Amino acid sequence: MQLKVQPLNIKVGKYKVVLNSVDAKELGVNEGDRVRVRDHDSLTAIVDFTEDMISPGMVGLYHEVQEKLQREWTETVDISPASIPKSAQVIKKLMNKQKLTQEEIYLLVNGIVDESLSDIELSAFMTASYINDMSDDETEWLTRAMIDTGEKIEFDTHPVMDKHSIGGVPGNKISLLVVPIVAANGLMIPKTSSRAITGAGGTSDLMEVLAPVEFTASEVRSMTEKVGGVLVWGGATNIAPADDKLIRIEYPLSIDPHCQLLASIMAKKGSVGADQVVIDIPTGEGTKIKNVQEGRKLARDLINLGERLGMNIECALTYGSSPVGRTVGPALEVREALKVLESMEGPNSLIEKSTSIAGMLLEMGGVAIKGQGRKVAEDTLRNGYALNKMKEIIDIQGGDSNVTSDDINAGEYTHKLTAPTDGYLIEFNNKRLIEIARLAGAPNDKGAGVLIHKKRGESVKKDQAVLTIHSEKEYKLKSAVKSAQMNSPIMIEGMLLERVPSYKEL
Amino acid sequence: MQLKVQPLNIKVGKYKVVLNSVDAKELGVNEGDRVRVRDHDSLTAIVDFTEDMISPGMVGLYHEVQEKLQREWTETVDISPASIPKSAQVIKKLMNKQKLTQEEIYLLVNGIVDESLSDIELSAFMTASYINDMSDDETEWLTRAMIDTGEKIEFDTHPVMDKHSIGGVPGNKISLLVVPIVAANGLMIPKTSSRAITGAGGTSDLMEVLAPVEFTASEVRSMTEKVGGVLVWGGATNIAPADDKLIRIEYPLSIDPHCQLLASIMAKKGSVGADQVVIDIPTGEGTKIKNVQEGRKLARDLINLGERLGMNIECALTYGSSPVGRTVGPALEVREALKVLESMEGPNSLIEKSTSIAGMLLEMGGVAIKGQGRKVAEDTLRNGYALNKMKEIIDIQGGDSNVTSDDINAGEYTHKLTAPTDGYLIEFNNKRLIEIARLAGAPNDKGAGVLIHKKRGESVKKDQAVLTIHSEKEYKLKSAVKSAQMNSPIMIEGMLLERVPSYKEL
């Protein structure tokens, strides 16, 4: 059917067209069906219906379709019904718990990357993945398909080191220490990371305080070859782009299907050519991994998948029920990390975790003997090599390498939350802490966040400051303070938690 | 945040707004999040992002939001982040196979009806329903919620009869006979039906050849009270509207979750106040119900759900591997049905099935004694009472009651498919038959369809006509014929199907 084009200059993130219901009926297509759009070029697009927006005899082409057809305007295009895509049948197979073939998984991932699957199909795919999970074979193919549908970085020399932290623990700024420690010891570590979606600051949000983080894959490669390490945003590199597109679906459903979690992590590591990887699995209440058993299972699955992909994986189950260090939010976290690099001054939790993870990598990379990795990492911090390496990384990414921790300013609007009574801090709610930092403006406002004066198990006096909320904007500070007061992230009690009746009777 | 309004005069079927990414970041909302839009009135809308379509400081309001706020234009509105809707949590519970409460199910169904759930959420709901199914309690609540969120018809007198056919068998025009037979015997039968989505003609598409089918719920009630029966399109009445909205999601995924199938049927029957219902379950290859075991299970589930809702359900497992009667497509089917009403001339399969189903209803309604229903139904056909009743129904719906079967014209463009050889018709592919009728233009072009000269098991001579394809348009006929020639819906072989080697040896 020849239809006149009506351009709709709206980006919808998919190939979509709008037909008047009259023409749609004549063509025999239903809402959600695909049509073939033929001009000089041709493509398949998803159909929306309208009764009035587009007149009969016309077809509305959204931005992406116009762009693909490479014309601003064309008099008419030919529209014909297209059959139900094979990908929809594959999704149904997954729903029915039937095993998918490698070819079917590539078909799906291609459909995800080229935006040809509708939100309805993508959501069904993620939901079925969540409920039915995938076999080891399928998960391997999923990972390979994610790697193959994006850009890949290949280094001439090996090993290539990498690390990843499973999210959920606030203030987990360890990459800012691990990467320079590892690179300072002569290993390559092209660290890509994410921006926070639900957190108070991803590694990219943090690093951006010091230098630009958006680079192409080939820039990541050449920078890494020059200085040994980088700290860049994965989203700019076009490595494993399927993952970013799936996050769009996972986020509103607040699900993270097991097979997708595995594939997402390993695809990013595989895409940068990493072959020696440490994965930090924060475990405990308030994190994604509720207990050690679950953490061990995830570790085994990651190690197994790594083996299939030719990567050596080691996992570290870490304590996740309390923040790492004493800061949450980009500028505050960067200041804390820089201070450790400058002088090894800083919270034990941060230094211990960073040197442990870095030490594992040093041993895996063959630059520290078994059992000595952590000590080498500490030495690298102490002798200033890690600081120098961090300055090189900041410099090559286009930041100011003369920066010191004193230069990093947190938001000027502050409010102290104080202890209502003498006692011990017995509970620290990770999720609430992140929510408060986000209300204060993190991660978008770099200066927003929370400074932690007292941590779990520490004693406080009445009216002593426990947390300081920082914000760049007064109205955001107010909103964060209000939220913290209504539902406190901390709980303080006397050392004697409970007086059991039998105690008296003894 | 105060933002200037930019109206987007596009209907998207949901409450949606578009924010510039800069403002979205400032607000701390991600794509797929909700925001509260406050003007004089207020509502919650789903957020889309744009880099360029909407400038920072502005918010794009789609048609539905503008309409809800009841203003064509307003200078500014206040936009603030809204929390993740409870419905998303309920969907996650269903994914986790946790039991839902009645309140949670009502929350979901309300969200479906008022369009506040996104496609991503709706698809996750349907996928989780498909994989995990629902308990009897949950299915009952789902049905009740579907009934309660739409219009209800209540009759002063009872019983109120109804019938429903599970889809999948071509040419199933029996409602055109069952409704007048039942109504002619003094019972009320307010039959609502659907239009075909994947079929060649729903009962509504058929009835529309004779009379208008779009009426409000109160019109359905008063017409039924006057003449005993109607044949109307359910979509116009606003009964159980949730069902229509879910079909939008089921269709592209080609799934029909068991609990949704049950709820969908029973909600429509419950909404019209029916308390005595026969459900026709066509069973066999090419239908939705592959075998008798599956059919019996569905029957038990329907009867059980009916009991919970205070409805008496009887089910008929019917032969579904071959079309009912010898016509497929609106006009052809109507002509065939009218001929039976006029003279009891017509295919046995149609007359037997219609009188059997009608007979069950007559017995359930207490106007035929047990075992005599079918005979009473046949008598009602034979003595012309059913024809007269059908004329009354056509008349009250605004059609021409003087219509006869000779007045009904099939499409003028025709092509005969002939037998390539002498033999017996051994296979008849239901799905292919429907596809060919659809390519010929059905159900939108009323004259399009397929006339069946020979059915399964009948003998044919070489070059004898087996099927005639009718179309209103030459190009559609060509497309249907081409498809039929490439992949024939029929197979003809000699009576001896196979010569087994051992046969010779005997």
Side-chain angles (χ1 to χ4, degrees), chain B residues 197-471:
Chain B
I197 297 176
T198 55
T203 299
S204 294
D205 299 310
L206 271 50
M207 185 62 190
E208 214 173 20
V209 173
L210 299 170
V213 295
E214 304 194 4
F215 297 96
T216 64
S218 70
E219 287 169 334
V220 170
R221 182 189 153 162
S222 72
M223 291 190 301
T224 305
E225 284 174 339
K226 273 179 201 141
V227 301
V230 291
L231 283 151
V232 302
W233 178 45
T237 57
N238 199 35
I239 61 166
D243 187 50
D244 293 320
K245 298 185 195 256
L246 290 176
I247 287 171
R248 239 195 84 238
I249 307 294
E250 291 175 352
Y251 170 70
L253 299 174
S254 59
I255 58 173
D256 199 349
H258 185 70
C259 55
Q260 301 285 349
L261 172 72
L262 296 176
S264 158
I265 296 168
M266 299 302 282
K268 283 177 192 149
K269 303 299 135 189
S271 296
V272 299
D275 52 4
Q276 300 285 342
V277 181
V278 171
I279 296 172
D280 162 26
I281 306 179
T283 305
E285 227 173 294
T287 71
K288 283 193 191 174
I289 310 300
K290 297 282 166 285
N291 54 53
V292 174
Q293 287 70 36
E294 219 179 292
R296 284 196 191 127
K297 158 125 187 31
L298 176 59
R300 276 195 306 272
D301 290 342
L302 286 163
I303 290 165
N304 173 30
L305 179 54
E307 230 164 67
R308 286 168 166 264
L309 298 165
M311 291 153 76
N312 181 33
I313 308 290
E314 292 194 15
C315 294
L317 266 63
T318 55
Y319 177 70
S321 301
S322 198
V324 178
R326 292 180 175 266
T327 56
V328 174
L332 287 165
E333 293 193 45
V334 167
R335 193 165 71 186
E336 189 177 45
L338 278 185
K339 204 161 266 171
V340 172
L341 286 168
E342 286 162 2
S343 60
M344 267 195 95
E345 257 176 52
N348 273 338
S349 61
L350 173 59
I351 296 172
E352 276 183 30
K353 185 169 177 183
S354 302
T355 53
S356 298
I357 301 275
M360 287 170 75
L361 284 162
L362 296 177
E363 293 177 15
M364 289 164 77
V367 296
I369 56 168
K370 211 83 191 157
Q372 294 295 308
R374 178 152 166 215
K375 202 194 154 289
V376 176
E378 284 170 356
D379 291 346
T380 312
L381 271 182
R382 196 170 294 115
N383 60 25
Y385 290 177
L387 176 64
N388 288 341
K389 184 52 73 178
M390 188 63 174
K391 286 176 184 282
E392 285 179 38
I393 294 171
I394 293 170
D395 186 59
I396 204 160
Q397 290 188 205
D400 174 9
S401 58
N402 294 318
V403 69
T404 69
S405 56
D406 293 338
D407 300 327
I408 311 291
N409 294 316
E412 57 176 318
Y413 297 95
T414 61
H415 182 94
K416 280 191 163 56
L417 292 177
T418 56
T421 171
D422 288 7
Y424 288 84
L425 211 158
I426 62 158
E427 224 186 273
F428 215 105
N429 188 321
N430 279 349
K431 279 192 183 153
R432 286 264 57 221
L433 199 65
I434 290 169
E435 277 163 17
I436 291 164
R438 286 181 66 88
L439 284 170
N444 190 48
D445 299 344
K446 298 292 186 194
V450 179
L451 194 58
I452 301 160
H453 304 291
K454 294 287 174 185
K455 292 184 76 173
R456 194 198 282 255
E458 293 180 349
S459 71
V460 285
K461 296 279 168 209
K462 186 169 187 299
D463 297 329
Q464 206 177 4
V466 179
L467 300 177
T468 302
I469 304 174
H470 284 261
S471 184

Side-chain angles (χ1 to χ4, degrees), chain A residues 33 96 120 123 130 251 254, chain B residues 33 92 96 120 123 130 251 254:
Chain A
D33 273 342
N96 288 333
I120 290 172
S123 174
Y130 178 80
Y251 170 71
S254 60
Chain B
D33 274 343
K92 195 165 173 189
N96 288 332
I120 291 173
S123 174
Y130 179 78
Y251 170 70
S254 59

Side-chain angles (χ1 to χ4, degrees), chain A residues 1 8-11 22 25-28 30-33 52-53 62 84 88 91-92 95-96 119-121 123-124 127-128 130-132 197-198 248-249 251-255 438 444-445 473 475-476, chain B residues 1 8-11 22 25-28 30-33 52-53 62 84 88 91-92 95-96 119-121 123-124 127-128 130-132 197-198 248-249 251-255 438 444-445 473 475-476:
Chain A
M1 185 183 281
L8 299 170
N9 292 315
I10 297 176
K11 285 185 189 166
V22 172
K25 270 194 184 169
E26 175 66 24
L27 279 165
N30 295 312
E31 203 175 340
D33 273 342
D52 49 14
M53 185 176 102
Y62 280 110
I84 289 175
I91 293 168
K92 196 166 174 190
M95 288 188 213
N96 288 333
D119 279 359
I120 290 172
E121 290 158 348
S123 174
T127 304
Y130 178 80
I131 300 175
N132 289 344
I197 298 176
T198 54
R248 239 194 85 238
I249 306 296
Y251 170 71
L253 299 174
S254 60
I255 57 171
R438 286 180 66 87
N444 190 47
D445 300 344
K473 284 148 194 158
Y475 82 94
K476 289 194 178 180
Chain B
M1 185 183 281
L8 300 170
N9 292 316
I10 299 176
K11 284 185 192 167
V22 172
K25 271 195 184 169
E26 175 66 24
L27 279 165
N30 296 311
E31 203 175 341
D33 274 343
D52 49 14
M53 186 176 101
Y62 280 110
I84 289 174
I91 293 168
K92 195 165 173 189
M95 287 189 212
N96 288 332
D119 279 359
I120 291 173
E121 289 157 350
S123 174
T127 304
Y130 179 78
I131 301 176
N132 289 343
I197 297 176
T198 55
R248 239 195 84 238
I249 307 294
Y251 170 70
L253 299 174
S254 59
I255 58 173
R438 286 181 66 88
N444 190 48
D445 299 344
K473 285 150 193 156
Y475 80 94
K476 290 193 179 181

